[in-house]
């Protein structure tokens, strides 16, 4: 197999990825600026080289077999590494640029990440930063596929299963928030039992933070909110909080930033089960580009500064 795969070209790999992502030879051909017949012929060549059927042909298009999915997964990594090599060489030439793709969870998007990026771009004004916001169930697969250099935010509890490397930067805990003027906002003491009857906005069920919130309720002998709005959209959540009497749960950095703006208050109730380290997640055995390495160092310094201010 080694001799066979060594004859595959970057053109072949780009084609496999395009066919997998488009699910249709016509659309893949258009994306690659090729004719359909040329794509079909090249696919036959790839399958001959790999000695495996990579796609099943159906009336609706093509569906990758396990061989096709496996080759596409490796192809994405190879293509990404080549792009990184080009960026690395350019960065070595001028030392002020580079490109970094970052996945961010809500916990890091309010203060840690934007502060670090602003600092770094003063030193490297040509640095290009791509930010993708989401949850770990979306960001970690993108990281493993090479589409992201790192993920910044609350660290997943499933590190070993995900085959990633984590670096702790600082601690985080979630806060219960409401609009200024909410009936509960004037209370100096609250417990979770006081919050049961209200409408909630919570992270989606598949997130670690949601599981921790549920644990916090159950530790108090309470059932967690079952009909909450599931959302990680800060704009949507802020609007629901301000325009109605919803309660929400924000990571501490987000909650403090929103409270400082004046429209939202942090309620005096503690969700101890949500205490969790925040940090950087990277691919196992991945070599970061110089720009990504510098960003990691800037994140470390920024986290240390923020932690000192919280003391």
């Amino acid at each position: 197999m080694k001799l066979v795969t060594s004859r595959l070209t970057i053109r072949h790999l780009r084609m496999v990825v395009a066919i997998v992502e488009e699910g249709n030879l016509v659309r893949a051909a258009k994306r690659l600026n090729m004719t359909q017949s040329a794509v079909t012929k090249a696919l036959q060549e790839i399958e001959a080289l790999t000695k495996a059927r990579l796609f099943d042909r159906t009336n609706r298009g093509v569906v990758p077999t396990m061989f096709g999915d496996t080759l596409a997964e490796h192809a994405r990594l190879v293509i990404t590494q080549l792009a990184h090599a080009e960026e690395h060489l350019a960065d070595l030439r001028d030392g002020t640029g580079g490109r970094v793709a970052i996945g961010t969870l809500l916990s890091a998007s309010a203060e840690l990440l934007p502060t670090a990026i602003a600092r770094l771009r003063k030193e490297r004004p040509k640095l290009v930063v791509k930010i993708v916001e989401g949850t770990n169930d979306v960001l970690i697969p993108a990281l493993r596929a090479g589409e992201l250099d790192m993920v910044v935010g609350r660290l997943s509890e499933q590190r070993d299963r995900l085959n990633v490397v984590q670096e702790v930067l600082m601690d985080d805990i979630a806060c219960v928030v409401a609009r200024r003027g909410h009936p509960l906002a004037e209370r100096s003491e609250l417990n979770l039992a006081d919050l049961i009857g209200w409408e909630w906005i919570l992270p989606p069920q598949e997130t670690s933070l949601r599981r921790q919130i549920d644990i916090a309720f159950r530790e108090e002998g309470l059932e967690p909110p079952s009909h909450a709005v599931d959302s990680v959209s800060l704009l949507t959540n802020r609007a629901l909080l301000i325009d109605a009497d919803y309660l929400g749960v924000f990571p501490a950095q987000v909650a403090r930033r929103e409270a400082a703006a004046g429209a939202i208050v942090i309620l005096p109730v503690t969700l101890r089960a949500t205490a969790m380290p925040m940090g950087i997640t990277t691919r196992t055995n991945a070599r970061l580009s110089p720009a990504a390495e510098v960003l990691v160092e800037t994140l470390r310094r920024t986290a240390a500064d923020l932690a000192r201010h919280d003391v």
Side-chain angles (χ1 to χ4, degrees):
M1 189 70 174
K2 184 176 180 181
L3 289 175
V4 171
T5 54
S6 67
R7 292 164 60 190
L8 291 174
T9 66
I10 294 299
R11 173 175 168 271
H12 288 144
L13 299 181
R14 293 187 190 280
M15 187 173 301
V16 169
V17 171
I19 296 171
V20 168
E21 293 179 353
E22 298 295 339
N24 182 284
L25 294 182
V26 174
R27 290 195 297 269
K30 184 176 180 180
R31 172 170 159 177
L32 296 166
N33 294 317
M34 298 172 62
T35 64
Q36 182 183 349
S37 59
V39 170
T40 301
K41 181 178 179 181
L43 177 56
Q44 292 170 347
E45 179 183 338
I46 298 168
E47 290 183 323
L49 286 170
T50 58
K51 298 182 180 179
R53 190 178 77 256
L54 302 179
F55 296 91
D56 288 325
R57 282 69 169 172
T58 71
N59 292 334
R60 296 185 177 181
V62 291
V63 178
T65 64
M66 64 177 182
F67 299 103
D69 274 331
T70 299
L71 182 56
E73 179 182 350
H74 288 282
R76 289 189 185 98
L77 286 172
V78 170
I79 293 166
T80 299
Q81 289 303 314
L82 282 174
H84 284 176
E86 293 173 3
E87 292 160 10
H88 192 162
L89 292 172
D91 193 40
L92 289 173
R93 283 193 295 269
D94 65 20
T96 61
R99 179 183 297 269
V100 185
I102 311 161
T104 179
L105 299 152
L106 182 60
S107 54
S109 63
E111 196 166 17
L112 173 62
L113 185 59
T115 302
I117 290 172
R119 286 180 173 181
L120 181 56
R121 293 197 79 253
K122 287 181 179 179
E123 303 168 8
R124 302 170 73 99
K126 295 182 181 179
L127 176 70
V128 177
V129 180
K130 176 184 177 182
I131 299 175
V132 179
E133 192 171 60
T135 53
N136 270 325
D137 61 307
V138 174
L139 298 178
I140 296 299
L143 173 69
R144 295 174 64 184
E147 297 166 12
L148 299 172
D149 295 299
M150 67 189 76
V151 175
V152 183
R154 288 168 67 92
L155 298 175
S156 173
E157 300 165 311
Q158 303 173 1
R159 176 184 61 189
D160 295 336
R161 197 179 78 182
L162 295 172
N163 193 31
V164 294
V165 177
Q166 295 180 341
E167 177 180 346
V168 175
L169 294 180
M170 59 194 303
D171 293 325
D172 185 51
I173 190 167
C175 303
V176 181
V177 296
R179 65 172 175 84
R180 187 171 295 280
H182 189 284
L184 295 175
E186 303 304 319
R187 300 270 296 271
S188 59
E189 292 185 10
L190 287 170
N191 55 52
L192 286 180
D194 298 321
L195 313 183
I196 287 295
W198 297 91
E199 296 289 338
W200 285 80
I201 313 162
L202 294 174
Q205 294 279 357
E206 62 270 16
T207 63
S208 296
L209 181 54
R210 179 61 173 274
R211 289 191 291 271
Q212 292 159 2
I213 293 168
D214 289 352
I215 290 170
F217 275 90
R218 292 191 174 110
E219 286 179 344
E220 298 292 325
L222 303 168
E223 280 300 309
S226 57
H227 299 292
V229 174
D230 290 357
S231 170
V232 292
S233 168
L234 183 57
L235 288 175
T236 301
N237 295 356
R238 184 191 293 123
L240 282 171
L241 288 168
I242 293 173
D243 297 341
D245 284 337
Y246 279 81
L247 302 180
V249 177
F250 286 172
Q253 286 192 14
V254 180
R256 287 195 296 267
R257 177 63 64 94
E258 292 295 315
I264 288 171
V265 297
I266 299 174
L267 297 182
V269 60
T270 302
L271 299 172
R272 293 182 181 85
T274 66
M276 190 78 179
M278 185 161 60
I280 303 166
T281 303
T282 54
R283 292 191 304 280
T284 301
N285 299 323
R287 181 175 180 178
L288 294 176
S289 68
E293 288 279 11
V294 176
L295 176 59
V296 167
E297 183 55 39
T298 306
L299 283 165
R300 290 170 182 151
R301 289 189 282 111
T302 303
D305 291 344
L306 292 173
R308 280 194 294 271
H309 292 158
D310 288 341
V311 175

